[in-house]
Amino acid sequence: MPTTFGALGVPSSLLPALDAAGITEPFPIQTATLPDSLAGRDVLGRGRTGSGKTLAFALPLVARLAGGQRRSGRPRGLVLAPTRELATQIAAVVQPLAAAAGLTVTTVFGGVSQNPQVAALRAGVDILVACPGRLEDLMKQRALTLDAIEITVLDEADHMADMGFLPGVTRLLAATPAGGQRLLFSATLDNGVDKLVKRFLSSPVTHSVDDGTSAVETMSHAVLEVADADGKRLVMEALASGTDRRILFVRTKHVAKRLAKQLTAAGIPAADLQGNLSQNARERNLAAFSTGAIRVLVATDVAARGVHVDDIALVIHVDPPTEHKAYLHRSGRTARAGASGTVVTLVLPEQRRDVAQLLRAAGIAATPVQVTASSPTVTALVGEVAPKVTPSAEAVQPAQQRPRADRASGGERRGGAQPPRRGVRGAESGERGGSAGGGRRQGAGRVQGGEPRRAVSAGEGRGTGGGRRGAPTGGGTGNGRRGGASAGRAPVQYSTSTGAPAGSAWTAFSDRDSAPAERRGSRRAGRDGGRPDPR
């Protein structure tokens, strides 16, 4: 059997790019599929996570498209992936090969601005790596068409089925030319994946290196039973304290965020990877983990597929998953491409039965061991303990929510001093107000360029700190909903109960609500000479 990429039919122009990446020998899934895919046949490839599927379709994708003509809004190669993390990593594998062949690659997925994606499509792209949702959106906007697609790849098809993407995937595949080559890679063929195969693949050649539940020889499994939640936390912190990279999987986004902060505060630098993060934050945290700036990544199942970081020694199921496929895909972050790794599952007493069923379904044989943080089993799994790192103040303190950008209309809904609008200086603009938030027209009018547009008695305008029904603080250029005192730039007053500037968002929810009778004068007739509010 051929043992080199050249012997499998990979063009010689692509071999230097493989050598530069340190890829010299093909993996079994590549050895099995490359001869057929390079020859233009439809291929159905089945292999477990970490088996080398990405390169198995990247090579024929680039080889088949080399030398073609690039056109605006009409890519010639399409790769569909279920998540943006996977799409990004696929593009990273394809990019060096595409550059060697003179091809361009771009990604399309949600969570980021579509403008750069649309610009890249208009400029012309050869290979498009996309997630189904954003791709359909751009097609509806006529930013691109798929009528020039020559080769289509569907990666992690079973994961797309689990996420409910198959209807969109079906529409996208139907939009590609019927005579194009199609490659489908999936660990399993359940949940409707087999229907895609029957409809869109023409006499496919099937290569199944191993099934979705096959064991990885270089991966070991450990099940650690803990007495209670406190014991689980101590064991988890101990397991996270080693010098090698490790991923901790939890069930929810909020737990991932909180746990990463707790570990960092304890001297174990960690970052989270979960669905609430922006794309830039995801990439930043993943880059820090990949480069070794941090050793611990706390993730939800968003990282269970497609995130490939070398030399992850330990995968820890802090929260055991609910079904066996999730267990296998989480565990597949370690022991990749022939490397060794260990998978640890932490089990509370009430979880023992469910975890036992989970492991049986996954085909994993592991004897549960009752442990504490100081048990020899835990110490052996930790290995060399890394020195504790004193966290910075920013890493320990939760990030404060940044204030919303100043609205063009002049202020937040519930008070707070705001910058002047439209060149208003020194005096307030407004339609209602008064020295105590009462009169309708009692003050200097709008000032543009330093001159009043109209002059009436002092005190009109929406004052600085007015909340909904203004506090008698003020004098600036802000814009509460109704009133607030307005007499030029008065000194800032502070709340007696909170210590915050009166009229700020804190005051709006404290002093205003604790003393409504003192604040709500705008609807009262005749206060401070104001007219009754006709409403």
Side-chain angles (χ1 to χ4, degrees):
M1 180 177 290
T3 56
T4 66
F5 286 102
L8 292 172
V10 175
S12 58
S13 58
L14 302 182
L15 297 180
L18 295 174
D19 292 337
I23 302 172
T24 56
E25 295 183 1
F27 293 146
I29 188 69
Q30 298 159 6
T31 301
T33 60
L34 281 175
D36 290 318
S37 58
L38 288 168
R41 301 185 183 95
D42 287 1
V43 170
L44 171 60
R46 298 180 60 186
R48 58 175 172 77
T49 299
S51 60
K53 297 190 299 292
T54 303
L55 196 61
F57 65 73
L59 286 167
L61 177 68
V62 173
R64 293 293 309 281
L65 298 179
Q69 182 179 0
R70 188 179 308 140
R71 289 174 287 181
S72 174
R74 301 183 69 192
R76 298 186 297 125
L78 173 65
V79 181
L80 293 177
T83 67
R84 40 184 147 165
E85 285 77 22
L86 181 56
T88 300
Q89 297 217 359
I90 289 173
V93 174
V94 175
Q95 180 62 50
L97 300 171
L103 304 177
T104 58
V105 182
T106 196
T107 55
V108 163
F109 45 71
V112 296
S113 171
Q114 73 172 32
N115 295 335
Q117 299 171 358
V118 172
L121 291 169
R122 287 176 179 170
V125 63
D126 296 299
I127 299 173
L128 177 63
V129 184
C131 294
R134 174 59 65 85
L135 179 57
E136 282 202 295
D137 289 343
L138 295 185
M139 289 179 64
K140 291 176 183 178
Q141 299 173 36
R142 299 185 179 180
L144 78 158
T145 63
L146 302 181
D147 59 357
I149 295 294
E150 300 176 23
I151 178 170
T152 304
V153 179
L154 186 59
D155 193 22
E156 301 283 11
D158 54 337
H159 190 28
M160 290 196 193
D162 294 340
M163 298 176 70
F165 288 165
L166 286 195
V169 170
T170 301
R171 291 189 294 269
L172 292 170
L173 290 176
T176 63
Q181 182 183 8
R182 288 162 180 163
L183 311 177
L184 188 147
F185 288 83
S186 179
T188 62
L189 295 181
D190 54 359
N191 293 337
V193 177
D194 55 338
K195 296 180 181 178
L196 289 180
V197 173
K198 293 177 182 178
R199 177 174 175 181
F200 294 106
L201 273 65
S202 176
S203 302
V205 181
T206 301
H207 294 283
S208 182
V209 173
D210 45 37
D211 58 37
T213 61
S214 61
V216 182
E217 294 179 359
T218 58
M219 181 187 297
S220 59
H221 299 261
V223 178
L224 306 183
E225 295 182 346
V226 293
D228 51 28
D230 287 338
K232 176 180 176 179
R233 177 181 56 81
L234 294 174
V235 171
M236 179 271 300
E237 287 187 4
L239 292 172
S241 64
T243 56
D244 296 323
R245 293 189 183 97
R246 47 207 67 203
I247 295 182
L248 281 60
F249 279 104
V250 295
R251 190 166 297 170
T252 69
K253 297 176 284 191
H254 303 292
V255 171
K257 181 179 179 180
R258 183 174 70 247
L259 184 54
K261 288 182 178 180
Q262 290 174 350
L263 289 172
T264 301
I268 303 172
D272 57 324
L273 188 66
Q274 38 88 7
N276 277 352
L277 295 178
S278 67
Q279 183 63 25
N280 287 339
R282 292 189 190 197
E283 293 177 357
R284 183 169 59 250
N285 289 354
L286 189 56
F289 185 60
S290 301
T291 59
I294 59 171
R295 301 183 308 275
V296 178
L297 189 68
V298 185
T300 59
D301 284 329
V302 72
R305 302 230 189 183
V307 175
H308 175 36
V309 177
D310 292 331
D311 302 323
I312 295 176
L314 201 61
V315 167
I316 305 168
H317 300 285
V318 178
D319 294 331
T322 57
E323 50 97 21
H324 72 282
K325 287 202 297 183
Y327 178 91
L328 293 171
H329 289 299
R330 285 180 175 188
S331 303
R333 299 313 98 199
T334 189
R336 297 176 68 91
S340 61
T342 303
V343 179
V344 176
T345 305
L346 302 183
V347 185
L348 291 168
E350 62 270 20
Q351 296 173 325
R352 292 174 182 174
R353 182 175 181 180
D354 291 338
V355 170
Q357 294 176 348
L358 174 79
L359 295 177
R360 280 197 299 270
I364 303 299
T367 303
V369 179
Q370 294 185 359
V371 299
T372 64
S374 58
S375 296
T377 300
V378 174
T379 303
L381 289 169
V382 172
E384 182 182 356
V385 177
K388 293 294 180 72
V389 177
T390 303
S392 64
E394 292 145 353
V396 176
Q397 295 295 332
Q400 298 295 324
Q401 183 176 0
R402 297 180 62 185
R404 296 167 67 182
D406 298 325
R407 298 182 180 179
S409 58
E412 294 184 1
R413 186 175 179 83
R414 292 187 179 265
Q418 300 294 333
R421 18 185 292 210
R422 297 191 192 172
V424 176
R425 300 178 186 173
E428 295 74 4
S429 63
E431 298 164 1
R432 299 190 184 101
S435 59
R440 272 187 88 132
R441 297 191 179 183
Q442 294 187 359
R446 297 194 181 187
V447 178
Q448 299 184 5
E451 295 296 331
R453 188 169 63 183
R454 58 186 172 85
V456 290
S457 58
E460 184 193 6
R462 303 185 181 182
T464 50
R468 223 174 205 196
R469 294 174 178 165
T473 64
T477 56
N479 185 6
R481 281 289 291 271
R482 285 191 189 159
S486 56
R489 295 182 178 271
V492 176
Q493 299 181 21
Y494 290 85
S495 165
T496 56
S497 61
T498 65
S504 70
W506 290 107
T507 305
F509 289 100
S510 55
D511 288 350
R512 180 179 68 82
D513 294 330
S514 62
E518 302 297 324
R519 306 294 182 186
R520 299 182 179 178
S522 60
R523 292 197 182 192
R524 296 192 176 205
R527 169 173 283 203
D528 293 323
R531 299 185 307 183
D533 193 322
R535 298 174 297 174

